[in-house]
Amino acid sequence: MNTTFLSHPKVRFGLVVVGFFVGLAVFGPWLTGTVLGIDPRANDISAIAAPPSAEHWLGTTQFGQDVLAQLIAGARGSMFVGVLAALIGTVLAIVFGVTAGFFGGRTDHILNFVTNLFMVMPVLPLIFIVSGYLRGTGLWMIAIIIGVFGWAGGARTLRAQTLSVRNRDFVLAMRMLGESNPRLIGAEVLPHLGGWIASMFLSAMIGAILAEAGLAFLGISDSGAISWGSMIQAAQSQSAVLRGLWWWFVPPGLCIALIGTAAAMLNFGVDELSNPKLRSATRRVVRRTRRVERAVAADARTA
Amino acid sequence: MPSRWAFLARRLGFYLTAAWAAITLNFLLPRLMPGDPSVAIVDQLQRVSGRQLPPETLVSIQTLFGDPDANLGEQYVAYLGQLARFDLGTSISRFPTPVADLVAAGLPWTLMLVGTTTVLAFVIGTGLGVLTGWKAGGRFDAIVTPASTFISSVPYFWVALIALWVFAFELRWLPSSGGYDPDLEGPAFWLSALRYGILPAATIVFSAFGGWLLGMRNMTVTTVREDYVLLAQAKGLAPSRVVLRYAARNAMLPSFTGFALALGGVIGGALLTEIVFSYPGIGYLLYDSLTKRDYPVMQGVFLLIALTVLVANLIADSVYVFVDPRVREQG
């Protein structure tokens, strides 16, 4: 699975983009502080709501804060929520999906029921309400809420995959040797789900980044923390749209869009992996087929 | 093999349980949260109205949000009884308007806006999806598919902000907020409602059609390679007939369920749209109640959204079971 998955150009693009933003999140403070020498929170009174210039590459906000520095700091906030929420979501999906698929019977019945329940609950309004009660929540709480309400789809996929792995010969053989269930799951089943879990984690991470941006945009986030969503929210609440301060709200949106596209590319890779018929329809294959057809036709003429 | 009716009965059982879970969740939320919402609500109401609350209002609030003196079981029974009478409590920010009235006022706006755009996005996206999937790897596919991938990954609220900036503030073609011009009446009022609706509707269709396109493209690509489609072509049938009657028709099934579910999401789906454009529907009501800490409205709207999603799911399941016999076997 891994070699074909990685050789896919769309998947590579997705991984490069995600990797870039992870790097930005990790080295962001060093980059803004040491290399560029700008503080995302500092107010430059001489440049308020200034358009992009040599001084401030991406302009400044209404409060005279450097947009580029905020963008880099925002990567850390958004990535933190993304990673933590994806971690929680993936663990829950494994616990529910793999357990249900592996044990079957009554356990499956109950766990599958809970999964379906979480599938049909409207998540965004629910998160909305919960965070409405927990006013002034930090990025931690936001990530936990997103993770806890967002695992059901993944659990469903893992359950189906576990069902197919469970009945393969090597698992049956180990079971007959008297291997214990926890070891069977840990050593035989989970490694075979590695690819699914990894791609699930990635898409959950990006989903959480988008969800955090949406929630921050609605004003449900820590007002002190900087994330791409809170940047757009600040721009919106200071009427940046009305006053045409596009350099304030366009860049964070572009970052989110870029990471969203990366997610779509990764998903493409997974789709085509699980459905080979889709793979045959790429432009490269069509071109190659035509070339072969032409060559055959040319051969036929010369012969 | 279980019959379709047995299958439907099982699904009905599931959705009834899910509805019960949603109602119970709504009951438990304010009781699990830190602080005491019912006390906060009563205090706030007395401040807003400037007088002591009538006893029946007090009882209603404590039934909905938790009476510190009553036990949980009794509260639960009283809560269910109140819901059965469609009593969702009283709004705090617009005291003494009942929550049910606010919801009823916002519902038609949301239904019109999101209902129309959901259908439009589905028709456009599915149509283009068939075209790209039929000629997968062709020039049209090579341009349209990556473009719609990008469009569908852009966060919706950002698209809406850009549209607002360009069309409402820079070009000044369309109004920037609200759902109608309150000074007008009769036909002029409806025309203004149409004009106010253009920008929100356009942004929804713009961000939603890509998802339908990609799904339909992938299904068409798969279906086109089936033997019966090849046979239809070999028989010399007109290409348009092969595309529509043989390939698209069978590729439609998953999109069709998705569509039923999307219709269920209509009421909750416009949350961000309505907030960006201050559109007077359910989503804006939820947002407004959140910023004003109007807990009764918040929870009433959530309950409505949850229940409509469940009903739509049930309908989608029932339709599907009659369209596609394969579903029944899985249960």
Side-chain angles (χ1 to χ4, degrees):
Chain A
M1 147 156 202
N2 294 321
T3 46
T4 38
F5 186 67
L6 287 177
S7 68
H8 207 296
K10 285 172 183 163
V11 171
R12 280 205 198 134
F13 170 82
L15 287 177
V16 166
V17 170
V18 173
F20 170 75
F21 282 115
V22 169
L24 206 58
V26 173
F27 298 111
W30 171 77
L31 191 65
T32 47
T34 315
V35 181
L36 298 170
I38 37 176
D39 178 356
R41 291 179 201 274
N43 305 81
D44 182 353
I45 318 249
S46 64
I48 290 217
S53 64
E55 185 80 13
H56 299 284
W57 293 354
L58 290 178
T60 60
T61 70
Q62 158 76 9
F63 313 106
Q65 294 166 323
D66 188 89
V67 172
L68 179 63
Q70 290 232 322
L71 204 62
I72 297 173
R76 179 169 273 204
S78 291
M79 282 289 161
F80 170 76
V81 173
V83 170
L84 182 58
L87 215 57
I88 296 169
T90 308
V91 167
L92 284 172
I94 292 174
V95 167
F96 276 79
V98 175
T99 318
F102 186 82
F103 289 105
R106 184 177 289 267
T107 318
D108 179 33
H109 212 73
I110 295 168
L111 292 182
N112 200 26
F113 184 83
V114 177
T115 309
N116 283 335
L117 215 55
F118 271 83
M119 291 272 300
V120 292
M121 284 297 153
V123 173
L124 185 63
L126 191 60
I127 294 179
F128 214 55
I129 306 272
V130 171
S131 45
Y133 278 110
L134 306 167
R135 221 15 110 92
T137 48
L139 291 179
W140 271 94
M141 201 61 207
I142 295 284
I144 292 172
I145 296 175
I146 294 174
V148 166
F149 286 115
W151 54 269
R156 187 174 265 194
T157 316
L158 286 185
R159 173 178 173 267
Q161 291 306 314
T162 308
L163 277 175
S164 90
V165 173
R166 175 182 73 163
N167 294 326
R168 288 197 202 149
D169 292 342
F170 63 91
V171 180
L172 281 179
M174 292 312 286
R175 194 196 293 270
M176 275 185 241
L177 284 176
E179 192 72 283
S180 70
N181 279 332
R183 263 198 68 91
L184 271 178
I185 294 180
E188 307 294 336
V189 177
L190 277 181
H192 281 87
L193 300 176
W196 291 94
I197 293 173
S199 76
M200 221 175 73
F201 179 84
L202 266 178
S203 58
M205 182 179 103
I206 292 156
I209 290 173
L210 295 177
E212 192 275 334
L215 289 175
F217 174 70
L218 297 172
I220 304 168
S221 199
D222 183 359
S223 49
I226 302 175
S227 73
W228 296 328
S230 71
M231 283 179 74
I232 299 178
Q233 199 273 331
Q236 155 98 341
S237 69
Q238 296 297 319
S239 325
V241 178
L242 177 83
R243 296 157 59 202
L245 310 178
W246 54 268
W247 55 87
W248 189 355
F249 59 87
V250 170
L254 274 182
C255 285
I256 302 171
L258 200 58
I259 215 162
T261 311
M265 295 297 173
L266 291 172
N267 274 337
F268 257 133
V270 176
D271 271 356
E272 293 184 10
L273 201 70
S274 52
N275 185 355
K277 280 178 181 167
L278 292 175
R279 218 178 308 163
S280 59
T282 61
R283 211 166 154 65
R284 197 154 42 119
V285 174
V286 170
R287 229 179 291 138
R288 202 187 299 145
T289 317
R290 292 224 182 98
R291 209 179 303 138
V292 172
E293 276 171 3
R294 269 200 303 277
V296 171
D299 277 352
R301 269 199 304 279
T302 51
Chain B
M1 194 179 105
S3 82
R4 59 183 65 168
W5 296 113
F7 173 81
L8 282 183
R10 250 201 334 271
R11 295 311 287 166
L12 186 67
F14 169 73
Y15 286 115
L16 283 178
T17 324
W20 167 77
I23 291 169
T24 309
L25 189 68
N26 221 28
F27 168 79
L28 287 177
L29 270 178
R31 289 164 175 81
L32 290 177
M33 290 300 151
D36 197 336
S38 76
V39 173
I41 291 167
V42 171
D43 285 352
Q44 214 169 330
L45 275 180
Q46 283 174 343
R47 221 175 321 126
V48 172
S49 63
R51 58 195 155 92
Q52 206 68 17
L53 284 184
E56 62 271 19
T57 313
L58 201 66
V59 171
S60 159
I61 290 166
Q62 291 188 330
T63 320
L64 287 171
F65 295 96
D67 176 358
D69 304 325
N71 81 45
L72 214 58
E74 288 168 27
Q75 284 189 52
Y76 190 52
V77 173
Y79 173 81
L80 291 180
Q82 198 161 338
L83 280 192
R85 293 191 303 273
F86 295 107
D87 183 356
L88 298 171
T90 316
S91 162
I92 298 173
S93 56
R94 294 181 225 188
F95 185 78
T97 320
V99 174
D101 288 5
L102 289 175
V103 169
L107 204 50
W109 293 98
T110 300
L111 287 179
M112 277 306 293
L113 174 69
V114 196
T116 335
T117 51
T118 305
V119 175
L120 261 180
F122 174 76
V123 171
I124 296 173
T126 309
L128 288 177
V130 173
L131 286 181
T132 50
W134 180 248
K135 290 260 165 75
R139 192 151 297 149
F140 186 64
D141 180 39
I143 296 167
V144 172
T145 304
S148 37
T149 310
F150 178 73
I151 289 171
S152 57
S153 10
V154 179
Y156 170 76
F157 59 88
W158 189 65
V159 170
L161 276 185
I162 302 278
L164 199 61
W165 168 47
V166 174
F167 294 105
F169 293 117
E170 292 293 327
L171 299 171
R172 295 184 185 281
W173 286 352
L174 293 161
S176 64
S177 69
Y180 52 87
D181 188 336
D183 301 331
L184 298 173
E185 271 178 55
F189 171 83
W190 291 110
L191 272 179
S192 88
L194 201 62
R195 216 171 95 77
Y196 276 79
I198 292 176
L199 208 48
T203 54
I204 298 179
V205 173
F206 179 81
S207 357
F209 88 96
W212 297 117
L213 188 150
L214 297 175
M216 194 61 193
R217 174 191 180 270
N218 285 355
M219 276 311 290
T220 310
V221 168
T222 315
T223 317
V224 160
R225 281 170 179 69
E226 297 285 347
D227 293 339
Y228 63 87
V229 177
L230 258 170
L231 176 68
Q233 279 178 295
K235 283 196 289 191
L237 295 179
S240 61
R241 195 179 151 90
V242 178
V243 176
L244 293 177
R245 300 289 293 274
Y246 288 78
R249 199 173 166 190
N250 285 292
M252 275 286 285
L253 280 174
S255 284
F256 194 75
T257 356
F259 181 59
L261 293 184
L263 283 181
V266 158
I267 292 181
L271 212 62
L272 291 166
T273 321
E274 294 186 359
I275 291 161
V276 173
F277 295 98
S278 308
Y279 201 80
I282 292 291
Y284 190 69
L285 183 64
L286 182 58
Y287 176 67
D288 188 52
S289 63
L290 191 86
T291 53
K292 290 174 182 156
R293 288 205 180 217
D294 196 339
Y295 295 123
V297 176
M298 254 163 63
Q299 288 200 276
V301 173
F302 172 70
L303 199 59
L304 176 79
I305 292 173
L307 294 183
T308 42
V309 169
L310 293 180
V311 170
N313 271 282
L314 178 61
I315 293 173
D317 276 358
S318 325
V319 171
Y320 207 54
V321 108
F322 285 98
V323 184
D324 187 353
R326 284 169 297 186
V327 185
R328 290 198 288 272
E329 291 175 39
Q330 298 158 7

